[in-house]
Amino acid sequence: MDKFPLTENLSRLWASIIVDELAKNSITQFYTAPGMRNAPVLAAAHYHELVDTFSYFDERALSYRALGRSKVSDSIPLLTCTSGTAMANFAPAIIEANKSGLPLIILTADRPSELVKTDSNQTIDQLSVIADHTCYNLSLEAPNEALSATRLRTLISTAIGRAKINKRPVHINLPLREPLDSTSKSISKDYLEKALESFNANGAKVISSAYQTYQMEFELGQKLVEAKNILLVIGKLDGKKDLEHYQDALMKIKVPKYLDLTSGLKYQFCLEDYLTPNFDHPEVLDVYEQNPPDIIIHIGGRLVSKHYYNYLERNNCELIHVTNVDFDHDPGFSNTHKIICDPLSFLNGLVKLELNQAPPVMWHDFVEKKRAIIEEEELTQPFISKNIIENIDDNYDLLVGNSTIVRSFDNFVSSSYRSNVNVFSNRGVSGIEGFVATLVGLSDENNKPKLLVLGDISFKHDLNSLYMLEEAANAGKNLTVIIINNFQGDIFNLLPISKEKEFLPLLTTPHKDRFDRIIKAFDGLTYQCCETKNDFNKLVAGALSSKGVNIIEAITNNESNLALFKKLKTVKR
Ligand SMILES: Cc1ncc(C[n+]2csc(CCOP(=O)(O)OP(=O)(O)O)c2C)c(N)n1
């Protein structure tokens, strides 16, 4: 802290004030990309005693790492980069964070307006790049003495407050004039003195209380008590900190429930707890077509299953949507009742109603038949998801990639087995990029072992994160990555468009690549490969119980996978 605050010139002083105000508001996890224009921010972050820096050369990978951290951290991660295209590389992760209700602070360095407006090198209109995907944009002027240190601090703490309250990304754009290094350029005595005093102040503490507690209205409670046939659906929940409380409440609510993978609660429950299998299955849909619920209570955001939404459009069930975010997600496109509040407080209200309604069908035989069929086939995605859930320790965090595997995990439901594994996904906009970096971001928060399962195309998409994974290995993290290599984006073979063989390769992007050579180029990453169910189970058990970063390439058989998906759909009760 000796060197802090930096006072050699106004750019460094402003960077110090901003970093200090952020740190005083608990924004201390700085995900930094290199650059000369943001060098004053990097210097201030480096010398501030409360700030931890996580540096990476590739802004896209870095931003997914910050996204991963945001899923588990109590404070808000900050991203910073230089001017020009650098920040555009943050865009996918910012879009995902915005759609997932995850806060981030993005502090971009910019060139001052006299350079931006005259088309100098490395300049773009930085404000417009992500403006549609943030909840607040603070466009600062280049450092000048007309704006006092205390006013600058107020602008920063206001921006932090917006991120906290809205639980979404905030952009702060900071144009900086040269000198950007330690070259001295005088600051007026009066301005400097007052600025230095501001470092002794506490900083404006911003406390968010955006989650409104819900008190069940009498009429609604009455209606729910009188209803014969309620279905409780839990979609995407933001924040994973109070899952235990959700779990407690849900255990006590005795009505049929559907838990989406993105709720993070799917595997904590089983059929004995009145779970309903996935709507993607025709047999399940059939049962609900014949016994439509009189009320569906949908808690949280969007589900993975499209069939649920088709079902809602076809059937005119009364829908109560309970959400804590102001997104435009409207499950039935016809809400009769929308309640914006802390969903947990709503569930606690349901507990008090002491509802008791058994599911329309007991699904045990159906689920057991599916389990048996999965075990009969070769190494497939349903085999992988089933065996991971049935064997993974409770202390694991599981990150599920997009495409077929997320559906496969979402389809899994257990008859009597419960697992406390924490499940994460990137389902805000369901991009296939950034999963390796997201895994590393999750691991920045704690040393719990973690497992990522993703497809080969998704893995290829994030090869730039392998250096980051190697750093995680060197830092002693215990991470396992399972790449399901079917040599293409196999999801498209499961869709009706697969009949259009002539141009299908433009969707599936087939290849012949294995990942051994590229992974072995990184010291500290252990590579293993398997092609059979037995070997898969052995390798996964070994990797999950060993230390370090282990990568397993599981070669699956496309025909078996396709045949199995078809066969599973034909299972009857
Ligand atoms: C960034 C991005 N680009 C393209 C897509 C469209 N897309 C969805 S799934 C998929 C293929 C994924 O392949 P892979 O990861 O190998 O999984 P598999 O389909 O084999 O299960 C693609 C290209 C997307 N969701 N996100």
Side-chain angles (χ1 to χ4, degrees), residues 381 402-405 407 429-433 454-459 461 484 486-492 507-509 511:
Q381 305 227 24
N402 279 322
S403 205
T404 320
I405 194 61
R407 287 168 180 86
V429 266
S430 306
I432 57 167
E433 72 273 65
L454 81 176
D456 49 298
I457 302 293
S458 306
F459 181 72
H461 209 302
I484 302 170
N486 45 36
F487 302 98
Q488 59 192 298
D490 197 32
I491 184 96
F492 300 109
L507 279 80
T508 54
T509 55
H511 63 88

Side-chain angles (χ1 to χ4, degrees), residues 11 14-23 27 29-34 37-45 51 59 62-63 66 76-83 86-87 90 94 104-110 126-127 130 134 136-141 152 155-156 159-160 169-176:
S11 285
W14 267 43
S16 297
I17 295 167
I18 292 169
V19 168
D20 188 57
E21 189 59 29
L22 287 159
I27 314 293
Q29 303 152 1
F30 277 49
Y31 287 82
T32 67
R37 195 55 54 170
N38 63 335
V41 174
L42 300 178
V51 170
E59 287 83 6
L62 180 78
S63 56
I76 304 176
L78 176 140
L79 278 163
T80 181
C81 68
T82 192
S83 67
M87 69 166 298
F90 287 163
I94 292 170
L104 288 172
I105 308 269
I106 301 106
L107 175 57
T108 53
D110 200 352
Q126 299 200 165
L127 291 169
I130 52 168
T134 54
Y136 185 65
N137 302 307
L138 172 61
S139 168
L140 291 168
E141 294 167 24
L152 177 57
L155 295 177
I156 299 300
I160 298 166
V170 155
H171 181 198
I172 303 172
N173 194 53
L174 173 63
L176 290 168

Side-chain angles (χ1 to χ4, degrees), residues 10 59 168 173 190 213 234 299 340 360 426:
L10 204 51
E59 287 83 6
R168 286 165 62 193
N173 194 53
D190 185 44
T213 301
I234 314 285
I299 308 272
I340 298 181
N426 283 342

Side-chain angles (χ1 to χ4, degrees), residues 280-299:
D280 288 355
H281 202 288
E283 188 76 359
V284 178
L285 272 180
D286 230 38
V287 165
Y288 279 97
E289 299 279 3
Q290 279 159 33
N291 311 275
D294 35 20
I295 299 180
I296 295 182
I297 304 173
H298 182 125
I299 308 272

Side-chain angles (χ1 to χ4, degrees), residues 191-318:
Y191 189 86
L192 183 59
E193 264 172 22
K194 290 215 172 81
L196 289 176
E197 273 168 30
S198 79
F199 285 88
N200 300 325
N202 283 333
K205 277 268 168 294
V206 182
I207 293 161
S208 139
S209 60
Y211 281 18
Q212 298 287 330
T213 301
Y214 179 74
Q215 284 289 344
M216 181 81 66
E217 303 135 46
F218 179 77
E219 290 81 34
L220 180 58
Q222 202 61 19
K223 191 167 167 175
L224 292 171
V225 169
E226 282 163 16
K228 303 265 171 312
N229 196 0
I230 293 175
L231 176 66
L232 179 59
V233 174
I234 314 285
K236 184 148 56 71
L237 293 177
D238 305 316
K240 301 285 168 191
K241 283 139 227 149
D242 43 11
L243 277 192
E244 279 168 34
H245 301 292
Y246 274 94
Q247 206 176 338
D248 278 358
L250 284 171
M251 271 299 175
K252 292 177 190 146
I253 301 171
K254 301 266 182 268
V255 298
K257 309 172 185 88
Y258 177 73
L259 303 183
D260 190 72
L261 182 89
T262 55
S263 69
L265 291 159
K266 193 172 188 81
Y267 308 121
Q268 275 91 333
F269 296 85
C270 62
L271 294 182
E272 287 173 9
D273 309 315
Y274 291 2
L275 273 205
T276 288
N278 193 295
F279 287 89
D280 288 355
H281 202 288
E283 188 76 359
V284 178
L285 272 180
D286 230 38
V287 165
Y288 279 97
E289 299 279 3
Q290 279 159 33
N291 311 275
D294 35 20
I295 299 180
I296 295 182
I297 304 173
H298 182 125
I299 308 272
R302 188 162 22 85
L303 308 191
V304 173
S305 167
K306 260 194 213 160
H307 290 94
Y308 167 71
Y309 295 98
N310 298 342
Y311 171 80
L312 288 183
E313 279 205 281
R314 277 198 308 276
N315 292 277
N316 215 1
C317 309
E318 180 165 354

